[in-house]
Amino acid sequence: MRLKDKVALVTGGARGIGRSIAMLFAKEGADIVIWDVNMQEAEKTCADIEGLGRKAMASQVDVTKYAEVEESLNKILDKFAKVDILVNNAGITKDALLLRMSEADWDAVINVNLKGTFNCTKAASKAMIKQRLGKIVNIASIIGIIGNAGQANYSASKAGIIALTKTSAKELASRNVNVNAIAPGFIQTEMTAKLPPELKEKMLANIPLNKFGSPDDVARACLFLVSSEADYITGQTIIVDGGMVMA
Ligand code: NDP
């Protein structure tokens, strides 16, 4: 029970990696708030969390809209009186080669992935600063470190998240708020299920551990970063990728 009585907010927690993070945190004793645009799946995840004996709350929040984010953060404070943990996990892809990428697809990915992380960090850190306690984890990607053909928008958003992690860590450290990032490699979720089989084969050949990751692999690294075991770690990016990228 490493997170006993903590209150954790997970964006995009309805399914995929966010759902695994929310479930693992609940198993470790945390009450969970999920912000997502997919309310049907979010309600299901909340029911599963309540089945573990923890409190759960799902809100329809589009992380690109600051007014929605701020209003929903106040709802968390009304219900739980605090927010100890924020995981900025909501993310999308809209892939195309640079010359074919539309302005709308560029804006959409930057808005959800990067501006969404900024919006939620800004709102939650206000409360964390007052509490003099908080842990923030941003879900980046190895693509934000090495780049990837066809993902100009996504790679730029994830590189931005890594830089935002370092800046927020520097600004919030004196208030006892730690900010770190996780850069997953290839994780089996609906986001990656749609990739062509030839591409998946090619990627597997580049993974030294010779297997794709699971959402739980990311969730376990996230649990470490929000637990007291990581109290002296801030501004870092942990790569969870089976050894694809070795810095
Ligand atoms: P999924 O698409 O499975 O889940 C993402 C969730 O975020 C969905 O529930 C989605 O809703 C929700 N969401 C989308 N847009 C918004 C928004 N504007 N506001 C709130 N919620 C939103 O993704 P994954 O679990 O695969 O990925 C989670 C994170 O991990 C992302 O940031 C991704 O970039 C990152 N990542 C994933 C990797 C992978 O291999 N899967 C590798 C590296 C990083 P809806 O269902 O309606 O779209």
Side-chain angles (χ1 to χ4, degrees), residues 14 21 23 25 27 51 58 67 76 86 99 106 119 129 171 189 214:
I21 292 170
M23 293 298 293
F25 285 10
K27 279 178 200 151
I76 300 177
L86 163 66
L99 292 181
W106 170 270
N119 282 345
I129 286 169
E171 289 192 16
T189 66
S214 74

Side-chain angles (χ1 to χ4, degrees), residues 216-237:
D216 284 344
D217 289 321
V218 180
R220 282 189 288 267
C222 200
L223 172 63
F224 166 67
L225 286 174
V226 303
S227 74
S228 58
E229 287 159 41
D231 278 353
Y232 199 56
I233 300 176
T234 198
Q236 304 304 311
T237 299

Side-chain angles (χ1 to χ4, degrees), residues 61-221:
V61 181
D62 177 348
V63 295
T64 67
K65 306 212 164 77
Y66 188 71
E68 260 178 50
V69 164
E70 198 172 40
E71 194 191 323
S72 305
L73 204 280
N74 287 331
K75 279 189 200 151
I76 300 177
L77 298 178
D78 286 346
K79 181 168 167 141
F80 294 103
K82 61 173 188 163
V83 56
D84 301 297
I85 295 164
L86 163 66
V87 181
N88 282 304
N89 164 81
I92 59 168
T93 53
K94 284 187 186 291
D95 299 351
L97 291 172
L98 189 64
L99 292 181
R100 292 199 199 120
M101 186 173 286
S102 67
E103 191 180 345
D105 284 355
W106 170 270
D107 287 346
V109 171
I110 297 290
N111 273 337
V112 176
N113 300 6
L114 184 54
K115 187 178 171 191
T117 300
F118 163 73
N119 282 345
C120 298
T121 300
K122 185 173 168 183
S125 64
K126 266 190 207 166
M128 289 174 175
I129 286 169
K130 281 194 200 138
Q131 296 163 192
R132 293 284 194 276
L133 187 78
K135 293 269 202 302
I136 300 175
V137 177
N138 299 325
I139 307 298
S141 167
I142 55 164
I143 302 306
I145 300 169
I146 59 172
N148 195 24
Q151 292 196 306
N153 48 5
Y154 187 78
S155 60
S157 74
K158 294 300 186 178
I161 286 175
I162 292 171
L164 177 60
T165 301
K166 293 174 188 172
T167 295
S168 337
K170 286 187 177 176
E171 289 192 16
L172 299 173
S174 64
R175 303 296 195 275
N176 200 29
V177 177
N178 303 43
V179 190
N180 290 290
I182 295 176
F186 190 108
I187 308 297
Q188 282 181 304
T189 66
E190 285 181 43
M191 187 182 262
T192 47
K194 56 193 177 193
L195 295 173
E198 323 80 74
L199 184 66
K200 286 191 199 171
E201 281 299 312
K202 222 169 119 189
M203 292 189 104
L204 191 58
N206 288 319
I207 302 176
L209 288 177
N210 198 31
K211 58 182 177 190
F212 296 131
S214 74
D216 284 344
D217 289 321
V218 180
R220 282 189 288 267

